[in-house]
Amino acid sequence: MGISGLLPLLKDIQVTRPLSDFAGQTIAVDAYVWLHKGTYGCAAELATGRRTHKYVDYAMHRVRLLRHHRIQPYVVFDGGPLPAKQGTESERKKRRDENLARANAFAAQGKHTQAREYYVKCIDVTPQMAYQLIKALRAEGIPYVVAPYEADAQLAYLERIGVVDGVITEDSDLLVFGCRKVLLKLDVVESVVTCISRGDFGSAGAAGGMPLLGWSDAQFRRMAILSGCDYLASIPGVGLKTAWSLLRKHKTVENAVRMLMLEGKKKVPDGYLDAFKLAERVFLYQRVYDPRQKRLVHLTEPAEGERLDAETDAYVGSDIEPALAKQVAEGDACPISLLPMDDINATFVPRALKTIPLNVKDARMPGGGKATGSRQNVGKGTVGILSFFKPRAEGSSGQQTATSHAPGHSITAGRASGKRTLAEVMDHDIAVKRKKQEGAQREGPSREVRNSKFFDVRQSSFGGEDEDAIASEEPDYPVAGPSRITLDAGKDKENVPCADDDEVFMEDAGAVEQEDGYISPSPSMRRWDSPEVSSPLRVRSGAQLDVEEEEDFGADILSSPPVAARQTRFSMNMDAARATSVVSHDGGIVLVPNTPSKRERRRRGHHARNDGAGPDLQHILGECDWEWDDRTSDIECSGPLDPSPSSASTSSGPVTPSDIPSQGEADACAQALTEAEDTDEVTNSQNAAARHAKVAHGWWERWGRGARSPAVAPPQTPLKRRETTITPEGRHRPLQQRRPQSATNNSKHKGKQQNLHSAGRRRSLVFTETVKKTPRGGLLRGTSSRPDTANSEQGEDSAGASRNRFAEFRWAGVEDSVGPCRI
DNA sequence: TTTCATACGTCCT
DNA sequence: CGTATGAAA
Ligand SMILES: [Mn+2]
């Protein structure tokens, strides 16, 4: 949804720019779009529970495209649902289930084309799917972060603090969140993007009769909210144009709404102003993860003197204890369940292809990439590899600006055969686009132009023997360090670090059968491989963990902390866990043994995806107790995120947008909010209801398939203020105070009223877990990765995968959850 | 004239 | 998520 009509309104200032314009910059990427588009190519597989990683390939292709243009991607994932977002879920879920049923029906008849049509409509991108992409990002050293809540706010924050220079997304909300540079509609064939710059707003809207010249960020934001946003449905009959007119005439929302009510032409829902204030606060103060401080912060820190009341504080996303927040941000914990990330496809072990373990001093490939002999050297040279990775880890704490370059620390290198590979890839892209255009219009006139552009790009980018240009400009971004480097060059020759020869590599890699049954001549990333954007060499870690059916997609030495790398291989013996019942380490962890009742499990639903043909990981991995690789445990691994506080050194982001009204954004907002505050303190039923209005896209809607109305939750006793913070001991999630029936609905003015839950009390979730202290101080939790798949029943409540984890835990009263219940 | 509802597309071995 | 389209207010 975003803001309806906003992008058309800004069409005047939308400029198409080549990706090369952003060379040297770090651009944040809204991963959801790529993931979702990527699922279209494997919708049936996903819907039927078959393992696949095509959507990862799709996203990585784009990642590599950016890197090809010297752009450093910074991938941002959606996180947990905002407390505010308790939206219409059952309706969507029903539609998905219907579509799935229809798709399966068609599939049963062999009508796969029609089946796919419905398969794509029941796909839901889950955090576990996002984790598959994260694994690939780790393997290639691409920085990323999982937002605690909405990616929108996280993206805006990264830009604001100067960690990134712009944002690639399709969501107009980013502008409302204060992004200065928003890039949409990435065209992989033309290598262009549509760019909207906040600085150009002054010249926008003139054509449409609603110029934005002189509008402050605050005014712009309020116009957007007034016209209807994700957090608040608009007053019926009010759209962008009307919102613009109202604010232009009345300046403040209060006045505008007052006028509307006096006129009586429009029905202003009771409590609208209050809801508006809350919605604006979500845009302003939503919690995000600060990769430098490694903790949650507000997108904008509330101005001095303004304190967010407890309710608002929860509304913008509850705080999460730093250690846990870090795990979520780095993909080690599910942002929804806050439990250790479940690797739904452990057989997918992405690796960076064709990476050259370059000598730090000699990053350039000999002969423009013809380093045929380097493979063996690399493979045996453990020392060389270590020396290769070492600077990466160290560099992560050093230079950190987005545009900084690390000439000596190249992690990529081209190969002679790379051109061909890239050409193939681009040929394919062009073919796809041509196909698309042919479908739309007969005879495209610009075909030759496209080709020309293509060749120009190729030549200028990596033609000749200038591969190291890329290598030298590769920012030495802090990425996941090698968790373990164990060479087993003796046995698994195919796992020996590859040379830079395409053919040789493919031969070594051998044919592998992918999840989808296709036989690929080489591992997963062959297809989209392009040398200049290839990544660090990865070293296969032998077969210390034998997993049945494991496909060798490569090793994961670059995959972050040992914890993460290991988690996917674990499957905790639940019996042992129950017997132990409690394990406490110095973290002081709550451990509540629990076995949910059958009824409860039914109520909470099951993992839809594994109900079908999907294999049960528990069976694949077997049941085992914790296993720990001591060899790696003492390696301090730098996370994928920027550990350095000097990131924003170059461009001190516009923390406070210097706007035309020259009024500090925070001040202006504080003022506006305090104004509204005066007339606040109303707890009437309708205003509370309005807060639940309009909950559209976002994680909850996208991923929160298993959303449960708190109404069905067991009654709980109130929590104290402290419990509003989420800690490793448990997610203490206070519910909003009583929220009676609403006057407005999430879906914009749909006649049907939503039966809003009303939980009179707060509750707290306590989950059981065993922990393992890691060298890096993190907490390993040995909860079973998939507790209930065995009991899954098709057709039953197919809740999101992560939500299933709740089945392993229980809702506990406050007496169990007040503070860390040390045992 | 503006809003609102609906349909459609995103992939592509 | 977006765009496009057409009908209704
Ligand atoms: Mn959004």
Side-chain angles (χ1 to χ4, degrees):
Chain A
M1 318 260 262
I3 307 300
S4 295
L6 184 57
L7 293 181
L9 168 67
L10 301 174
K11 190 164 280 180
D12 295 346
I13 60 172
Q14 292 183 26
V15 290
T16 298
R17 300 178 62 184
L19 286 177
S20 55
D21 281 6
F22 305 95
Q25 297 186 15
T26 300
I27 303 294
V29 173
D30 186 347
Y32 173 78
V33 178
W34 291 357
L35 279 173
H36 193 261
K37 286 185 176 179
T39 61
Y40 269 74
C42 51
E45 291 93 324
L46 290 171
T48 57
R50 301 175 59 193
R51 296 198 311 269
T52 183
H53 61 262
K54 279 181 185 169
Y55 55 95
V56 174
D57 291 340
Y58 176 88
M60 288 307 293
H61 176 44
R62 276 162 165 70
V63 165
R64 296 186 184 109
L65 176 73
L66 295 184
R67 292 186 65 174
H68 168 67
H69 289 280
R70 323 281 205 274
I71 296 171
Q72 176 62 59
Y74 197 127
V75 184
V76 177
F77 297 88
D78 277 287
L82 275 179
K85 302 208 166 192
Q86 314 259 349
T88 66
E89 214 10 77
S90 59
E91 195 174 318
R92 272 171 203 283
K93 199 177 92 54
K94 245 171 197 157
R95 298 191 77 91
R96 270 194 295 263
D97 290 345
E98 288 174 6
N99 288 324
L100 178 58
R102 257 186 270 192
N104 284 328
F106 277 119
Q109 303 171 15
K111 300 177 179 177
H112 299 292
T113 300
Q114 298 174 58
R116 214 192 71 84
E117 178 184 346
Y118 290 98
Y119 274 135
V120 299
K121 292 180 180 175
C122 64
I123 296 302
D124 196 21
V125 178
T126 67
Q128 286 69 35
M129 289 165 65
Y131 179 69
Q132 302 308 305
L133 175 55
I134 287 176
K135 288 195 294 184
L137 295 173
R138 286 172 174 172
E140 304 206 13
I142 308 295
Y144 66 90
V145 64
V146 179
Y149 299 101
E150 286 192 295
D152 300 25
Q154 185 70 48
L155 290 159
Y157 181 73
L158 291 178
E159 190 199 43
R160 183 168 300 178
I161 66 175
V163 167
V164 304
D165 303 296
V167 171
I168 291 180
T169 184
E170 305 291 339
D171 191 347
S172 57
D173 280 339
L174 266 295
L175 294 163
V176 187
F177 274 105
C179 259
R180 309 288 303 179
K181 187 191 295 179
V182 175
L183 310 179
L184 335 137
K185 300 174 179 62
L186 173 65
D187 188 325
V188 298
V189 174
E190 308 288 347
S191 288
V192 295
V193 284
T194 299
C195 182
I196 296 181
S197 298
R198 180 60 180 89
D200 297 336
F201 274 21
S203 50
M210 37 188 302
L212 295 175
L213 180 62
W215 284 60
S216 69
D217 281 357
Q219 287 172 305
F220 176 78
R221 177 179 56 248
R222 288 160 191 163
M223 175 186 72
I225 299 172
L226 213 47
S227 77
C229 67
D230 295 340
Y231 315 120
L232 179 65
S234 73
I235 297 166
V238 174
L240 208 48
K241 181 88 173 187
T242 305
W244 178 86
S245 301
L246 286 172
L247 283 182
R248 181 177 184 82
K249 182 185 292 182
H250 305 295
K251 303 304 177 191
T252 72
V253 176
E254 289 80 1
N255 290 336
V257 170
R258 192 178 304 128
M259 283 305 175
L260 278 181
M261 295 179 77
L262 285 178
E263 284 181 6
K265 301 260 183 189
K266 317 254 185 208
K267 288 286 189 182
V268 179
D270 289 337
Y272 179 82
L273 268 183
D274 200 44
F276 184 97
K277 182 182 66 178
L278 215 44
E280 183 171 29
R281 284 174 163 175
V282 177
F283 277 113
L284 284 171
Y285 306 125
Q286 182 170 156
R287 279 203 166 90
V288 297
Y289 182 75
D290 187 337
R292 303 173 308 180
Q293 303 181 47
K294 299 194 185 306
R295 66 181 183 89
L296 297 197
V297 298
H298 293 286
L299 169 59
T300 303
E301 210 54 41
E304 289 294 328
E306 194 198 0
R307 194 184 68 83
L308 301 184
D309 57 278
E311 189 179 19
T312 303
D313 188 79
Y315 207 76
V316 299
S318 294
D319 197 7
I320 300 177
E321 187 271 332
L324 182 55
K326 181 170 181 285
Q327 290 196 332
V328 169
E330 297 182 2
D332 295 329
C334 173
I336 298 178
S337 70
L338 300 182
L339 299 177
M341 179 59 70
D342 175 18
D343 193 339
I344 58 174
N345 189 358
T347 62
F348 173 58
V349 184
R351 60 178 173 184
L353 296 186
K354 301 167 217 148
T355 54
I356 311 306
L358 301 172
N359 183 311
V360 174
K361 281 295 189 164
D362 186 17
R364 171 189 258 271
M365 286 306 298
K370 278 203 170 94
T372 51
S374 65
R375 182 174 202 159
Q376 270 68 17
N377 293 336
V378 171
K380 299 170 188 169
T382 307
V383 173
I385 291 166
L386 284 171
S387 65
F388 164 65
F389 283 110
K390 195 173 179 184
R392 283 183 66 77
E394 290 174 349
S396 63
S397 58
Q399 62 219 280
Q400 230 1 268
T401 61
T403 54
S404 72
H405 304 300
H409 297 170
S410 167
I411 60 170
T412 67
R415 294 163 315 147
S417 57
K419 287 181 197 167
R420 179 185 57 75
T421 302
L422 181 61
E424 287 175 352
V425 170
M426 298 184 80
D427 277 342
H428 178 268
D429 288 343
I430 293 173
V432 168
K433 178 156 187 171
R434 184 152 51 217
K435 195 169 172 185
K436 197 190 306 180
Q437 290 187 345
E438 281 174 359
Q441 57 171 8
R442 294 293 182 191
E443 198 57 34
S446 62
R447 196 156 102 181
E448 196 169 345
V449 175
R450 282 198 300 274
N451 284 337
S452 299
K453 280 186 180 177
F454 158 56
F455 285 117
D456 285 343
V457 167
R458 187 178 62 167
Q459 286 176 4
S460 62
S461 299
F462 57 100
E465 318 187 338
D466 199 26
E467 267 94 345
D468 63 340
I470 293 162
S472 62
E473 291 190 11
E474 173 88 8
D476 189 16
Y477 234 90
V479 297
S483 57
R484 58 186 187 281
I485 303 177
T486 52
L487 275 183
D488 191 353
K491 187 176 181 220
D492 300 64
K493 275 231 170 91
E494 69 274 15
N495 292 324
V496 172
C498 57
D500 44 6
D501 185 339
D502 221 5
E503 283 65 37
V504 172
F505 171 80
M506 292 171 64
E507 183 187 351
D508 277 357
V512 295
E513 184 177 358
Q514 297 184 359
E515 297 94 333
D516 50 17
Y518 284 107
I519 304 297
S520 293
S522 71
S524 64
M525 294 186 182
R526 180 194 76 82
R527 185 174 171 231
W528 297 124
D529 172 54
S530 39
E532 43 297 320
V533 292
S534 59
S535 297
L537 163 77
R538 111 298 162 183
V539 183
R540 174 93 164 93
S541 62
Q544 29 202 19
L545 283 178
D546 281 333
V547 177
E548 239 180 288
E549 290 184 15
E550 173 168 355
E551 305 167 50
D552 180 18
F553 289 99
D556 53 347
I557 56 163
L558 278 187
S559 54
S560 282
V563 187
R566 276 291 174 244
Q567 280 173 353
T568 67
R569 315 287 171 107
F570 295 146
S571 179
M572 193 182 76
N573 185 324
M574 291 311 292
D575 289 335
R578 290 193 201 93
T580 308
S581 197
V582 161
V583 176
S584 183
H585 292 263
D586 28 326
I589 299 305
V590 179
L591 297 167
V592 183
N594 166 54
T595 303
S597 68
K598 282 266 164 70
R599 187 185 64 80
E600 199 172 13
R601 291 165 100 129
R602 263 200 304 280
R603 186 174 63 74
R604 288 174 186 168
H606 297 286
H607 194 321
R609 197 115 72 67
N610 280 278
D611 290 347
D616 187 341
L617 273 182
Q618 201 124 25
H619 293 152
I620 294 177
L621 302 177
E623 293 202 348
C624 60
D625 288 318
W626 281 98
E627 166 182 11
W628 189 249
D629 186 351
D630 288 327
R631 284 173 297 179
T632 64
S633 60
D634 56 350
I635 297 177
E636 178 63 26
C637 300
S638 64
L641 303 176
D642 177 8
S644 164
S646 63
S647 303
S649 57
T650 42
S651 59
S652 56
V655 177
T656 301
S658 54
D659 230 13
I660 298 172
S662 71
Q663 198 175 10
E665 181 78 351
D667 295 336
C669 293
Q671 177 188 347
L673 287 172
T674 45
E675 285 175 6
E677 207 106 40
D678 299 336
T679 62
D680 189 17
E681 197 50 46
V682 195
T683 11
N684 97 40
S685 56
Q686 271 136 356
N687 95 40
R691 289 168 195 165
H692 286 286
K694 187 74 178 193
V695 181
H697 80 293
W699 185 276
W700 199 249
E701 178 179 290
R702 294 168 177 170
W703 297 5
R705 160 156 75 178
R708 295 284 165 198
S709 166
V712 303
Q716 299 298 327
T717 51
L719 296 175
K720 295 173 182 173
R721 185 237 169 280
R722 182 181 182 289
E723 281 84 46
T724 59
T725 293
I726 300 170
T727 73
E729 287 76 43
R731 180 170 209 163
H732 306 282
R733 187 171 57 167
L735 297 180
Q736 278 77 39
Q737 290 301 341
R738 193 163 229 292
R739 299 236 189 265
Q741 300 285 327
S742 74
T744 58
N745 192 302
N746 167 337
S747 48
K748 192 161 183 172
H749 315 313
K750 261 188 195 151
K752 192 162 94 190
Q753 291 269 330
Q754 169 137 22
N755 186 8
L756 291 180
H757 46 275
S758 58
R761 301 179 186 173
R762 299 185 171 188
R763 66 179 176 180
S764 176
L765 177 64
V766 174
F767 51 79
T768 69
E769 61 185 357
T770 58
V771 293
K772 188 124 186 163
K773 198 80 165 118
T774 72
R776 65 165 192 169
L779 293 174
L780 268 185
R781 283 181 284 288
T783 46
S784 166
S785 53
R786 27 188 11 85
D788 60 353
T789 48
N791 305 41
S792 295
E793 293 176 52
Q794 187 77 17
E796 209 160 326
D797 190 357
S798 57
S802 56
R803 210 139 272 282
N804 276 331
R805 294 222 188 65
F806 285 151
E808 281 299 310
F809 313 112
R810 66 186 175 87
W811 294 99
V814 69
E815 57 275 8
D816 290 335
S817 59
V818 169
C821 298
R822 296 170 187 270
I823 306 178

